Amino acid sequence: MKTINEKIIDYIKNHQGFLIITHQKPDGDAIGSSVALGKGLKKIGKKINYFIQMPIEQNLNLFDEIQTFNKITYEEYDAVIAVDCSTWSHTYRPKQMPKFKELINIDHHITNEGYGNYNHIENVSANAELIYRLLDQLNIPLDEEMADALYTGISTDTGSFQFSNVTSETHEIAAQLYKYPFSYAELSRKLHHEKSIEQFKLYGIAVQNIKLINHNTISWTLLDYSTIQQYGGDINISDDIANIGVNIKGVDVAITLKEVEKKIYRVSLRANSECALDVSKIAKFYGGGGHDKAAGFTYRSKIEILLNKIVGDYNIAKDKRNRQQ
C-alpha cells in the first residue's frame, strides 16, 4: 500500500491546531474524509475545528461528529487541511479566514492544482482511501464512527464499488474496514437507496426530462430553478441524479444541469468506462474539476453552447481513438 507524503505526516505529528475544510456542497467522500480525519487527529491530542457547508444532505447526516462542525474555537491554526477539493476557489471557507501557517492539500482528483504548501494528490477511487492511509501511518486506531465515515467516502465515490475507478487497493481498504465489528448493510441502504419523497420526485423529473443527442450517444437533463425550489432546494438533489443518463443503453456521456440560481447551472458530467472522452478536461475548461469519468463545474451561459462543445469534444475523442485502433 502506498504512503502519504511524509512531509504531511511529520507536520501533523509536530503541530497541534488544524482547521479541516472541503469543497462546496459536500458529498459523501468530503463528509466521510473530514469526519474520519478530524476524529482521528483528536485521538492523538490535536486541536481540531471544521468549517463545512451546511445543511448536509439527509442521507449523509449520519455522524455525531457533525454536531461539532463550524464551531470555530481558535483564532489561529498551524495548518488548514483541505480534503477532496481540486481547486482552492471551490473550497468552502470562512469569509474572513483565521490565521494559519500552512495549507495542506489532500486530494484524489487528477485536475488538482497543487495549491497547498504541502500536497498529496493521487488518482485513487476516493479521498477516503488517502485518509485511511494517513490515519494508518499515524498509528491511529479507528472507532465505529471513523470506520463508517471512511466506508461512506469510498462507497459513495465508487457508486457502491461499481465505477471504473475501483482498484484492488480500494477493496483491500474496504476489507480492513469489514474487520471491525460493524455492519455496513444498513449504512449502504441509507447511502444508496433511502430518499425523501422530495428527492424521489426530483429524481423522477430528471428522468422525465432526459433528451438524447448525437445519435443517442449523449444524454442531457435539466432541473430548472423553479422545480428545484418546489421540492425543497438543491439540498434535495441526490448525487445519483448525475448517473441517470449514463445508465441508458448506448449512452457514453451524461450531462446533468441543475439551475441552482437563475441562469446559473451546476453541471455534472459522467462517462461510461469505455468512453474515449475525458470529461475532467471539459470541467477544467469551465473552471471546475474532477475525474476522467466524473466531473463538475458551474456554468453561466447558454445551454446550447455547452451541449455543442461537449458533442464536439466527444466526437473528436472518439475519432482519435478509432484512428489509433
Side-chain angles (χ1 to χ4, degrees):
M1 189 175 293
K2 296 179 182 177
T3 58
I4 300 299
N5 184 340
E6 287 291 345
K7 291 182 179 179
I8 293 176
I9 300 297
D10 289 341
Y11 192 89
I12 290 174
K13 285 180 177 178
N14 294 315
H15 294 83
Q16 286 299 112
F18 300 93
L19 177 65
I20 297 174
I21 64 173
T22 185
H23 58 77
Q24 299 167 30
K25 200 175 185 295
D27 58 5
D29 197 17
I31 297 298
S33 294
S34 298
V35 167
L37 176 60
K39 287 202 72 179
L41 294 184
K42 286 179 181 180
K43 278 177 173 281
I44 56 173
K46 307 302 179 182
K47 298 176 180 178
I48 303 299
N49 283 165
Y50 308 87
F51 196 78
I52 310 288
Q53 188 173 11
M54 305 287 274
I56 292 170
E57 188 178 325
Q58 65 174 19
N59 70 327
L60 300 176
N61 198 358
L62 305 170
F63 309 110
D64 291 340
E65 187 71 4
I66 290 173
Q67 302 304 313
T68 70
F69 283 7
N70 302 346
K71 296 180 180 178
I72 303 298
T73 56
Y74 308 109
E75 295 181 356
E76 186 173 352
Y77 299 89
D78 291 309
V80 169
I81 306 178
V83 298
D84 194 37
C85 194
S86 60
T87 65
W88 178 245
S89 62
H90 193 50
T91 56
Y92 183 76
R93 56 189 188 273
K95 290 183 179 179
Q96 292 187 331
M97 281 292 289
K99 294 180 181 179
F100 62 94
K101 296 174 183 176
E102 304 290 349
L103 175 59
I104 297 172
N105 169 23
I106 303 173
D107 186 38
H108 73 125
H109 296 97
I110 58 175
T111 56
N112 191 286
E113 298 173 344
Y115 52 82
N117 304 108
Y118 298 93
N119 298 286
H120 186 93
I121 303 161
E122 186 179 341
N123 185 19
V124 295
S125 75
N127 205 78
E129 282 196 32
L130 304 179
I131 300 303
Y132 174 88
R133 282 198 253 141
L134 184 150
L135 295 171
D136 185 62
Q137 282 176 248
L138 290 169
N139 296 313
I140 299 173
L142 304 182
D143 61 25
E144 180 175 357
E145 185 161 278
M146 291 166 66
D148 281 355
L150 291 169
Y151 184 89
T152 294
I154 294 171
S155 181
T156 54
D157 246 34
T158 61
S160 193
F161 304 93
Q162 297 180 78
F163 297 160
S164 59
N165 59 3
V166 176
T167 66
S168 59
E169 188 164 302
T170 309
H171 285 290
E172 288 170 10
I173 292 173
Q176 293 301 316
L177 296 178
Y178 270 95
K179 288 183 178 180
Y180 290 80
F182 318 134
S183 170
Y184 295 112
E186 179 61 15
L187 177 58
S188 294
R189 187 188 69 81
K190 290 179 178 179
L191 293 173
H192 297 288
H193 300 294
E194 187 175 273
K195 293 181 178 67
S196 68
I197 187 63
E198 290 81 10
Q199 287 178 313
F200 269 111
K201 288 180 177 179
L202 275 173
Y203 189 97
I205 292 167
V207 172
Q208 186 176 0
N209 290 346
I210 288 175
K211 297 178 178 62
L212 301 182
I213 57 177
N214 200 49
H215 307 291
N216 298 337
T217 58
I218 297 175
S219 76
W220 71 279
T221 188
L222 168 67
L223 290 172
D224 63 34
Y225 181 79
S226 61
T227 299
I228 293 171
Q229 295 309 305
Q230 180 182 353
Y231 294 105
D234 64 344
I235 190 65
N236 283 328
I237 301 173
S238 55
D239 273 354
D240 56 354
I241 282 180
N243 300 317
I244 293 171
V246 83
N247 290 328
I248 299 171
K249 186 175 182 179
V251 168
D252 285 333
V253 176
I255 309 158
T256 305
L257 299 108
K258 296 144 286 187
E259 191 181 21
V260 293
E261 298 179 44
K262 288 292 186 179
K263 303 300 182 182
I264 299 178
Y265 304 92
R266 186 176 294 121
V267 182
S268 297
L269 302 179
R270 298 291 185 268
N272 71 37
S273 59
E274 301 302 319
C275 181
L277 180 64
D278 180 348
V279 296
S280 72
K281 293 181 178 178
I282 295 174
K284 193 169 184 178
F285 178 84
Y286 287 110
H291 309 282
D292 59 344
K293 303 305 178 190
F297 56 94
T298 299
Y299 184 72
R300 293 177 172 86
S301 187
K302 293 182 179 179
I303 293 174
E304 293 78 8
I305 295 173
L306 174 62
L307 296 179
N308 287 336
K309 174 171 176 54
I310 295 173
V311 167
D313 287 1
Y314 168 84
N315 288 331
I316 290 170
K318 186 175 181 179
D319 289 345
K320 182 178 180 181
R321 174 181 283 182
N322 289 339
R323 288 196 301 270
Q324 292 174 343
Q325 291 177 344

